[in-house]
């Protein structure tokens, strides 16, 4: 079991939990979350909570391959109203903010966010890890080879699992030295990795349990699914469910998804499979 202290709200991860994705961006790769205005975002947040999401992850900057980064000021303008509105409407919710900029992290936590999700693990803003340590919130630490603008041009590894694991050994030590108590690791499916790299990481995901940290799997509607199946992201829910099932089987503690209900069903069935009910 893992325990996360989210500004006094405690998440006990005795069984996997779901993190719902809320994109406050005009250029998400998944069209299902585009152009959500105030009421639409609150409706989406309510649906995710009702469907069983334990965490809502709000992102104001696209990190899809080839995306262009925006300034911290512009990201704050996108993210902070969403954080404030969700916090006001759903005071008991756990809000994560997906950002690699320390200024955004600081502003988001000040307005009610409980957790920071950083695709760069502090590599794109060297102030991020000390900032999160000072804020005393959980930190999702993701592996990414390169930067979003160029990460998928030609990613090469001698041994992708070893290199990602070595990265996390060093990075979790850095977080511990800085004073971050709760670190969650994310191998970064699709971030500077080929489809083959992603499947290798998924197959050997259980090796990351050596780190003794909660493991987040972000596979939802990604290109590993839709390119393998020759479909669109909009048609990739079934494939997402399959890979989420494998991720849980191999030790994932958190599923980061666009489709909460289906991910919760995966967890319920996996729990029943491991501990069949009487009769």
């Amino acid at each position: 079991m893992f325990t996360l202290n989210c500004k006094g709200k405690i998440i006990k991860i005795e069984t996997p939990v779901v993190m719902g994705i809320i994109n406050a961006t005009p250029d998400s790769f998944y069209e299902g979350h585009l152009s959500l205005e105030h009421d639409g975002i609150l409706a989406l947040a309510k649906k995710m909570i009702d469907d069983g999401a334990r965490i809502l992850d709000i992102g104001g900057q696209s990190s899809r391959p080839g995306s262009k980064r925006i300034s911290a000021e512009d990201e704050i303008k996108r993210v902070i109203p969403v954080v404030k509105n969700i916090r006001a409407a759903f005071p008991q919710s756990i809000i994560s903010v997906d950002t690699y900029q320390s200024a955004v992290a600081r502003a988001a936590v000040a307005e009610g966010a409980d957790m920071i999700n950083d695709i760069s693990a502090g590599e794109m803003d060297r102030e991020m890890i000390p900032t999160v340590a000072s804020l005393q919130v959980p930190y999702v630490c993701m592996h990414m080879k390169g930067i979003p603008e160029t990460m998928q041009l030609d990613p090469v590894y001698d041994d992708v699992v070893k290199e990602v694991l070595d990265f996390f050994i060093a990075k979790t030590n850095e977080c511990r030295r800085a004073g971050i108590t709760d670190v969650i690791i994310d191998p970064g499916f699709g971030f500077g990795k080929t489809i083959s790299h992603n499947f290798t990481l998924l197959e050997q995901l259980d090796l990351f349990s050596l780190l003794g940290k909660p493991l987040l799997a972000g596979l939802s509607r990604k290109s590993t699914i839709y390119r393998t199946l020759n479909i669109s992201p909009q048609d990739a829910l079934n494939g997402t469910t399959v890979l989420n099932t494998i991720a849980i089987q191999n030790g994932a503690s958190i599923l980061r998804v666009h489709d909460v209900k289906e991910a919760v069903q995966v967890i319920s069935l996996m729990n029943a499979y491991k501990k069949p009910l009487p009769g």
Side-chain angles (χ1 to χ4, degrees), residues 12-226:
K12 292 183 178 179
I13 306 179
E14 298 173 291
T15 186
V17 300
V18 172
M19 171 186 278
I21 300 167
I22 296 180
N23 289 318
T25 64
D27 56 352
S28 169
F29 81 95
Y30 173 48
E31 294 177 1
H33 288 191
L34 291 180
S35 303
L36 290 174
E37 300 299 332
H38 170 80
D39 291 343
I41 283 179
L42 286 182
L44 177 60
K46 182 179 188 303
K47 182 178 188 309
M48 287 182 167
I49 292 167
D50 290 346
D51 285 343
R54 293 288 302 280
I55 305 165
L56 303 177
D57 192 41
I58 300 164
Q61 177 141 215
S62 175
S63 56
R64 76 189 194 285
S67 59
K68 299 283 173 39
R69 70 181 73 184
I70 63 173
S71 68
E73 291 76 14
D74 287 341
E75 191 178 350
I76 286 169
K77 288 176 185 176
R78 289 180 181 178
V79 167
I80 296 306
V82 178
V83 171
K84 291 172 72 172
N85 290 335
I86 291 177
R87 173 55 66 228
F90 310 104
Q92 297 307 309
S93 61
I94 304 294
I95 298 174
S96 166
V97 167
D98 180 1
T99 184
Y100 51 75
Q101 303 197 83
S102 60
V104 179
R106 194 176 299 107
V109 172
E111 293 295 345
D114 305 292
M115 180 185 302
I116 298 299
N117 179 11
D118 178 5
I119 63 168
S120 83
E123 295 294 307
M124 293 178 71
D125 181 345
R126 300 306 299 179
E127 291 302 311
M128 178 61 92
I129 287 176
T131 295
V132 173
S134 70
L135 296 170
Q136 287 294 288
V137 294
Y139 183 49
V140 180
C141 185
M142 196 193 83
H143 175 274
M144 173 173 60
K145 192 180 184 79
I147 57 176
E149 293 94 323
T150 60
M151 63 186 179
Q152 290 303 106
L153 293 182
D154 186 24
V156 175
Y157 299 83
D158 292 328
D159 181 333
V160 65
V161 174
K162 182 180 183 302
E163 289 182 42
V164 175
L165 186 56
D166 286 346
F167 170 85
F168 280 126
I169 290 169
K171 189 59 68 170
T172 53
N173 283 333
E174 180 184 349
C175 290
R176 178 182 51 78
R177 289 193 301 269
I180 299 176
T181 303
D182 296 325
V183 177
I184 300 144
I185 61 171
D186 176 354
F189 293 106
F191 284 81
K193 299 168 185 79
T194 64
I195 290 174
S196 176
H197 293 145
N198 293 325
F199 278 124
T200 298
L201 282 167
L202 183 59
E203 180 190 13
Q204 300 184 47
L205 202 60
D206 60 326
L207 292 178
F208 292 90
S209 65
L210 296 170
L211 297 164
K213 305 291 183 187
L215 176 61
L216 185 151
L219 294 152
S220 184
R221 297 182 181 268
K222 286 189 173 176
S223 62
T224 293
I225 299 165
Y226 63 78

